[in-house]
């Protein structure tokens, strides 16, 4: 749980953006099956990341979250190999690995926080009050930190990796936004004009950067 109220709200807004985008893409008829599953997984991850920042998120059980995120990581890997779409399998795998990493990182984080909470005698982690009462080893902004050098180092490394991924996605979003042709001041949008191309990497960037902050706080 995030102890600092201001940071808690900032992270909530950061995660709410990809949640809203994922739900919007789910409702679009043009979204294919693979895309729907991917957007549903990202939306679920955003909701659970928001929950992790608030006290009520402590009532969520650990095991279902670990199963969901592990399955999500495997899904992105498998989908890139089985249904690469218009990309080659190599290209699809390169595009999918950041998503798989984010899902796997979430599964690890939930499991590690649950173990840390259990070891300190504060319950079973998320869902059992595991984040509460463990501020002494944290940064002061989080109510709990990971116990042990190994998990803390792993959390810090994931924070660095997620920051890099987020910055790459953010740069891609800016590039796509600049590349979009100017729309007419009046009249219909030209056929084929993609006015939302930058939203996808922008929302992924917000998710990755928000996760990086969470991992850095819990390291």
């Amino acid at each position: 749980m995030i102890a600092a109220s201001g940071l808690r709200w900032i992270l909530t807004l950061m995660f709410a953006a990809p949640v809203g985008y994922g739900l919007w893409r789910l409702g679009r008829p043009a979204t294919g099956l693979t895309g729907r599953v991917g957007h549903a997984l990202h939306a679920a991850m955003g909701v659970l990341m928001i929950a992790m920042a608030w006290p009520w998120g402590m009532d969520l059980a650990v095991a279902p979250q670990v199963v969901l995120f592990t399955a999500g990581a495997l899904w992105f890997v498998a989908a890139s190999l089985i249904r690469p779409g218009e990309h080659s399998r190599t290209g699809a795998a390169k595009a999918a690995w950041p998503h798989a990493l984010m899902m796997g990182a979430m599964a690890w984080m939930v499991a590690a926080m649950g173990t840390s909470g259990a070891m300190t005698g504060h319950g079973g982690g998320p869902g059992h009050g595991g984040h509460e009462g463990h501020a002494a080893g944290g940064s002061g902004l989080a109510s709990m930190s990971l116990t042990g050098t190994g998990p803390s180092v792993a959390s810090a490394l994931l924070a660095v990796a997620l920051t890099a991924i987020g910055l790459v996605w953010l740069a891609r979003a800016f590039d796509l936004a600049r590349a979009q042709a100017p729309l007419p001041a009046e009249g219909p949008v030209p056929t084929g004009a993609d006015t939302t191309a930058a939203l996808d990497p922008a929302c992924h960037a917000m998710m990755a950067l928000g996760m990086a902050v969470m991992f850095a706080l819990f390291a």
Side-chain angles (χ1 to χ4, degrees):
M1 185 180 72
I2 303 300
S5 178
L7 180 59
R8 183 187 297 168
W9 277 107
I10 290 172
L11 290 172
T12 296
L13 293 175
M14 288 183 69
F15 293 129
V19 169
Y21 174 74
L23 294 176
W24 174 67
R25 288 296 301 269
L26 279 172
R28 297 189 68 182
T31 305
L33 175 61
T34 302
R36 289 182 187 278
V37 175
H39 289 301
L41 287 170
H42 281 299
M45 182 164 64
V47 170
L48 291 172
M49 286 300 296
I50 292 173
M52 190 174 289
W54 292 86
W56 54 266
M58 304 306 100
D59 294 329
L60 301 178
V62 171
Q65 295 182 73
V66 174
V67 170
L68 173 64
F69 293 129
T70 301
L74 295 175
W75 162 262
F76 281 109
V77 174
S80 68
L81 299 176
I82 299 173
R83 304 188 63 168
E86 58 187 19
H87 302 287
S88 65
R89 280 187 169 83
T90 301
K94 288 181 179 179
W97 79 261
H99 303 285
L101 176 63
M102 291 169 67
M103 290 285 165
M106 274 297 297
W108 177 86
M109 185 181 195
V110 172
M113 294 298 284
T115 301
S116 183
M119 290 177 62
T120 54
H122 295 295
H128 299 86
H131 292 263
E132 298 177 357
H134 190 201
S139 65
L141 296 176
S143 296
M144 183 177 182
S145 64
L146 297 173
T147 57
T149 302
S152 295
V153 171
S155 185
L157 291 175
L158 285 170
V160 172
L162 289 166
T163 298
I165 291 172
L167 292 177
V168 169
W169 266 326
L170 190 61
R172 187 178 304 166
F174 282 125
D175 289 340
L176 288 172
R178 285 194 297 264
Q180 289 174 3
L183 298 178
E186 298 180 358
V189 176
T191 302
D194 187 358
T195 61
T196 62
L199 287 179
D200 197 78
C203 287
H204 291 326
M206 294 187 73
M207 178 76 79
L209 294 174
M211 290 179 65
V213 173
M214 297 282 279
F215 275 91
L217 291 178
F218 291 140

